[in-house]
Amino acid sequence: MAVFAIVTQSYSKDIRECELLCESMDRFVSSDVPHYIIVNDEDYDMFRSNPAFSRRHIHRKGELMPRYLFRLPFPMLGHHYLVSPFTIPVREWIVQQICKLAIFELTPEVEAVVNIDSECVFLRPFGLDDISRTTPDGHREWMLYKRIFEDEPNHDQYCRVARAMMTLPEGSEPDSFCYMAHPVVFERRNLEALLCQIASRSLFGSWKHRLCNTYRFSEYYLYGLYTDHVLHLRNHYLYDTRLFPATHIERFHTASKLREAVAEAMSRPYTLGVWLQKGKRTATVLPHDTVASVIREWF
């Protein structure tokens, strides 16, 4: 039985990036580690029939969302929405975050899940020792990313929402840090406690209903702040390095420049891979085949 699973949220526009992630995992991650890919309902057949994902567990986001929601067949203001009589319109970005928090409904056998974005690639061997440690008494602890806040968009709102969901210490200390990185590990018991806490602040006793009615939040901030300041790092230890540093590929217009950026990121001994962040979807980026060829040089 696996101790942890890797979980990736993806959709049709990121399918080639997700293929490259899986190819890198086949190189650097043991086949004993389950990999769950959660996709938009309409993209399920596309992913399920793709041989690149034959060893993966493919699931629809609809499996994890309340049944009273249905998806509008057309976008509004550039977003697709789920709607219902009981919630505000729920953006796909919120759906993705709720699915991350609900993941143990699909992975009942593992102790923890490791969230990896579909734009990430592994470039070094990866295993249990890279994300956990064993205490002298034999207890396993998982890494929790925490770094002094610098420039995370919407940071203040993420912290305000977290305070509405749980009782955090007064003062600026909880609001001074960022908990968002790749990867982020959710430990089962801590996540279950967090969801119970959120449900207790819901009129209907449902954490999903409460978050569906929240316009903007961060699942990583909710988990990080709760584990850090409410559970006092139960089952976790802190780290502050980016294991998958962002490589903003829209900044590079030649393969050689991208190659230099990846080499610089991988010059740090703790780096496990890179996050090929595309930024705005309208940005001009190198063709995917060019990016993939640079990455495969590390294979």
Side-chain angles (χ1 to χ4, degrees):
M1 182 179 295
V3 177
F4 71 95
I6 293 174
V7 178
T8 300
Q9 309 280 327
S10 194
Y11 75 129
S12 59
K13 292 184 179 180
D14 272 354
I15 192 167
R16 298 199 70 191
E17 287 79 5
C18 197
E19 290 173 355
L20 188 60
L21 165 64
C22 292
E23 185 178 348
S24 75
M25 290 178 61
D26 290 343
R27 295 274 181 169
F28 296 113
V29 182
S30 170
S31 60
D32 295 336
V33 177
H35 185 199
Y36 290 79
I37 302 177
I38 316 301
V39 300
N40 292 356
D41 289 28
E42 66 272 17
D43 298 334
Y44 176 79
D45 290 339
M46 178 190 301
F47 277 78
R48 191 71 183 86
S49 61
N50 189 322
F53 310 125
S54 60
R55 293 178 44 244
R56 272 69 196 181
H57 304 275
I58 312 296
H59 289 272
R60 300 176 178 88
K61 291 177 182 175
E63 297 176 50
L64 297 171
M65 295 300 294
R67 293 182 180 274
Y68 50 73
L69 290 161
F70 70 92
R71 189 174 187 269
L72 289 179
F74 51 86
M76 293 192 305
L77 301 176
H79 296 282
H80 284 281
Y81 289 90
L82 298 182
V83 297
S84 82
F86 313 109
T87 66
I88 62 174
V90 184
R91 292 174 295 146
E92 288 190 327
W93 183 247
I94 297 299
V95 171
Q96 176 175 303
Q97 294 178 86
I98 290 174
C99 288
K100 289 181 185 179
L101 294 171
I103 191 60
F104 284 113
E105 295 177 20
L106 299 176
T107 59
E109 73 281 1
V110 298
E111 186 178 328
V113 296
V114 181
N115 292 285
I116 295 288
D117 194 271
S118 59
E119 295 177 346
C120 291
V121 289
F122 288 87
L123 298 177
R124 287 198 176 110
F126 170 79
L128 182 63
D129 291 343
D130 294 302
I131 53 172
S132 70
R133 68 186 185 189
T134 304
T135 63
D137 62 359
H139 177 69
R140 182 181 292 108
E141 295 179 329
W142 302 89
M143 60 166 49
L144 178 70
Y145 179 81
K146 179 182 180 181
R147 192 169 188 170
I148 293 176
F149 163 68
E150 294 170 351
D151 59 357
E152 186 64 46
N154 303 308
H155 168 88
D156 291 345
Q157 186 168 6
Y158 293 157
C159 292
R160 285 197 301 271
V161 169
R163 286 190 177 277
M165 301 287 180
M166 65 193 75
T167 302
L168 295 174
E170 296 299 325
S172 62
E173 201 277 340
D175 300 345
S176 301
F177 293 90
C178 173
Y179 295 89
M180 194 173 294
H182 293 293
V184 171
V185 181
F186 291 160
E187 192 272 340
R188 173 186 298 279
R189 289 174 296 171
N190 285 17
L191 184 58
E192 289 174 347
L194 168 64
L195 300 182
C196 286
Q197 174 66 58
I198 297 173
S200 72
R201 305 289 178 101
S202 166
L203 180 64
F204 297 97
S206 166
W207 69 267
K208 290 181 183 179
H209 181 268
R210 179 65 190 268
L211 292 182
C212 281
N213 281 291
T214 303
Y215 180 74
R216 180 177 285 119
F217 69 91
S218 165
E219 74 282 29
Y220 295 154
Y221 272 71
L222 289 175
Y223 184 85
L225 286 165
Y226 186 76
T227 295
D228 191 4
H229 295 284
V230 179
L231 298 181
H232 307 293
L233 294 178
R234 185 180 76 179
N235 303 320
H236 279 279
Y237 64 94
L238 297 177
Y239 78 107
D240 63 357
T241 54
R242 298 185 185 274
L243 304 185
F244 288 79
T247 301
H248 299 269
I249 60 176
E250 72 273 10
R251 299 177 183 175
F252 308 104
H253 301 290
T254 65
S256 61
K257 291 296 184 182
L258 176 61
R259 186 176 295 110
E260 291 173 7
V262 173
E264 194 279 329
M266 296 306 297
S267 67
R268 298 182 282 274
Y270 54 80
T271 302
L272 296 174
V274 292
W275 175 26
L276 300 169
Q277 188 175 26
K278 288 185 290 190
K280 293 183 178 179
R281 295 285 170 181
T282 56
T284 300
V285 299
L286 289 170
H288 177 79
D289 288 344
T290 301
V291 175
S293 67
V294 170
I295 295 301
R296 290 188 181 109
E297 292 173 8
W298 288 84
F299 293 176

